[in-house]
C-alpha cells in the first residue's frame, strides 16, 4: 500500500469514526428503521469519500456536509419506497395469473424509478401531461381538455418531458 493511499485510508477511517454514530442516530430518528439508517449512513460515507471536492479532513463543517448528502439519499430512498408501494398496490389488484414474475416486477420498478428521476424537477402539470400521453395514450387534445390547458401548452409540456427522457437531463 502506498503512503498516499495509506494516508487517505487513515483520513477516511478517522472521519468515519468521528461521525458515523452521530449520523446513524440522526437517520434512525428520521426514518425509524435501524437497518435503513445504517444502510443510508454507509451510502453517505461512500458518497462523501468519492465526491469531488476537498479531502474529508479539510471539510469545514463535516456534519453539515454529511447531513446534506444523507438528506439527498434519504429523499431518493423515500421516493423509491413511495413508487414501490404504488406499484405493489397496482400489482395486488391484478389476478395472480396476470401478475408478472418477480424478475420482471423488479425491472419494471427500476424503470419507474428511473422515469421518476428523469421527470423530477418538471412542473407537476408537465409530468401529468406526459404520463397521460405515454401511459393512458391520450391525444394532445384529450390531455388539454382533461387538464384545462391549451393544446399548445400541452405540446410544449410534452416536448420538454420527452426531451428530459430522451437526453436524461433529470439527473
Amino acid at each position: 500500500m502506498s503512503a498516499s493511499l495509506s494516508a487517505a485510508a487513515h483520513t477516511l477511517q478517522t472521519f468515519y469514526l468521528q461521525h458515523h454514530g452521530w449520523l446513524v442516530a440522526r437517520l434512525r430518528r428520521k426514518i425509524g428503521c435501524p437497518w435503513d439508517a445504517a444502510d443510508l449512513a454507509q451510502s453517505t460515507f461512500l458518497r462523501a469519500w468519492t465526491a469531488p471536492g476537498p479531502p474529508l479532513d479539510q471539510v469545514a463543517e463535516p456534519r453539515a456536509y454529511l447531513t446534506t448528502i444523507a438528506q439527498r439519499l434519504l429523499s431518493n430512498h423515500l421516493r423509491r419506497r413511495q413508487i414501490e408501494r404504488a406499484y405493489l398496490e397496482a400489482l395486488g389488484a391484478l389476478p395472480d395469473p396476470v401478475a408478472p414474475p418477480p424478475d420482471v416486477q423488479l425491472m419494471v420498478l427500476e424503470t419507474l424509478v428511473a422515469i421518476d428521476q428523469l421527470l423530477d424537477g418538471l412542473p407537476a402539470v408537465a409530468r401529468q401531461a406526459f404520463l397521460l400521453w405515454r401511459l393512458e395514450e391520450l391525444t394532445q387534445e384529450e390531455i388539454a381538455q382533461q387538464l384545462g390547458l391549451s393544446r399548445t401548452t400541452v405540446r410544449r409540456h410534452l416536448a420538454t418531458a420527452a426531451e428530459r427522457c430522451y437526453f436524461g437531463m433529470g439527473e
Side-chain angles (χ1 to χ4, degrees):
M1 184 184 278
S2 72
S4 64
L5 185 56
S6 178
H10 183 331
T11 299
L12 175 61
Q13 180 182 18
T14 302
F15 191 81
Y16 184 89
L17 291 173
Q18 288 174 343
H19 304 291
H20 181 262
W22 166 83
L23 183 60
V24 170
R26 179 179 174 88
L27 289 168
R28 184 182 294 173
R29 281 191 308 275
K30 281 190 167 275
I31 58 180
C33 176
W35 297 282
D36 285 346
D39 286 347
L40 285 169
Q42 290 300 103
S43 296
T44 300
F45 281 100
L46 179 61
R47 183 76 51 95
W49 176 247
T50 59
L56 294 178
D57 59 350
Q58 294 178 14
V59 172
E61 297 288 337
R63 290 190 173 184
Y65 180 64
L66 290 170
T67 298
T68 300
I69 294 170
Q71 191 60 43
R72 289 179 185 150
L73 292 172
L74 178 59
S75 177
N76 290 341
H77 173 78
L78 295 175
R79 185 75 176 240
R80 180 186 173 88
R81 287 278 167 92
Q82 184 181 28
I83 292 168
E84 187 173 1
R85 263 193 309 279
Y87 178 59
L88 291 174
E89 285 175 15
L91 282 177
L94 295 174
D96 282 338
V98 177
D103 59 327
V104 173
Q105 291 179 23
L106 180 61
M107 186 175 63
V108 170
L109 178 61
E110 294 295 327
T111 302
L112 289 172
V113 168
I115 290 169
D116 178 67
Q117 289 173 343
L118 287 170
L119 298 180
D120 189 37
L122 285 178
V125 69
R127 284 192 313 270
Q128 188 176 7
F130 183 75
L131 293 173
L132 287 170
W133 181 54
R134 298 305 298 166
L135 299 178
E136 302 291 328
E137 298 181 352
L138 297 182
T139 66
Q140 291 180 16
E141 188 64 40
E142 292 168 330
I143 295 168
Q145 288 174 358
Q146 186 167 335
L147 298 180
L149 302 171
S150 71
R151 192 166 175 217
T152 303
T153 301
V154 168
R155 187 178 304 121
R156 184 171 33 86
H157 286 318
L158 294 178
T160 302
E163 181 180 6
R164 275 193 181 231
C165 287
Y166 185 74
F167 293 111
M169 298 188 306
E171 299 171 353

